[in-house]
Structures are given as C-alpha cells and as structure tokens.
Amino acid sequence: MPDRYAGRPFLKLVDSYVLSLIGELDQATAESLERMTPKLNETYGLSGATWQEVVHSQLHLPPNTARQVVDGWFAEPGNPDPVAWSQFVADQMIG
C-alpha cells in the first residue's frame, strides 16, 4: 500500500486538522504540530496563526468549515473509525 503522504506532506496537516476538530487528534501529534507552528507561519507567510489556522487559510476554507466537520462527525451512524473518516473528509477538502 503506498504511503498516503508521499509527495503530499500538507495532507498530513489536513488529516490532523480534521482529527483535531472532532476531538480525536492524539496528544503526541498535537504537541508536534504546536512545535511546528512557527515554521508553518514562516513557510506560508503568516504571523501568529495556529497550525489549524494555517491549514484553514491555505485551503481557503469557508468560515463555517469547522462546524460542518463537527456536525458531519456527529451525524455519522454508529462509531466510524476516526482516522478513516478524517482521511475521507480531508480528501474532500483537498479536492
């Protein structure tokens, strides 16, 4: 199975963004992303943005995206796998 992120490093951020929105981002990844935030700001020409704001701005997402993602998560029947679900949503965001 090919690596999901090969040649697409930003996709890892988008997956993490979705997991963060639904409260399923693991602590180690969250801490790593917090440490990366200054570099992300520098890379994308931003100042003082959170890593989540960097993702949101780079994808040009509408302001209600977070609410839509959370609503979509809670509307899912049963208990979907959060990683698989976040990847599905991230793929939709990237287009």
Side-chain angles (χ1 to χ4, degrees):
M1 179 161 130
D3 180 7
R4 175 172 170 77
Y5 308 114
R8 302 172 73 192
F10 194 76
L11 183 55
K12 176 70 173 166
L13 290 173
V14 181
D15 285 349
S16 295
Y17 173 74
V18 175
L19 286 168
S20 175
L21 290 175
I22 64 172
E24 294 289 337
L25 185 64
D26 66 275
Q27 189 65 30
T29 302
E31 290 170 1
S32 175
L33 289 167
E34 290 299 325
R35 287 189 302 274
M36 288 176 48
T37 298
K39 183 65 175 169
L40 291 170
N41 273 279
E42 180 183 328
T43 299
Y44 294 105
L46 301 170
S47 177
T50 65
W51 69 267
Q52 295 98 328
E53 291 167 338
V54 170
V55 171
H56 197 272
S57 72
Q58 292 307 298
L59 293 178
H60 307 287
L61 298 172
N64 64 342
T65 297
R67 173 60 31 217
Q68 289 178 330
V69 169
V70 171
D71 288 349
W73 171 248
F74 286 111
E76 282 293 316
N79 295 313
D81 172 20
V83 172
W85 192 84
S86 70
Q87 289 176 348
F88 171 78
V89 172
D91 289 345
Q92 302 304 309
M93 288 178 171
I94 298 255

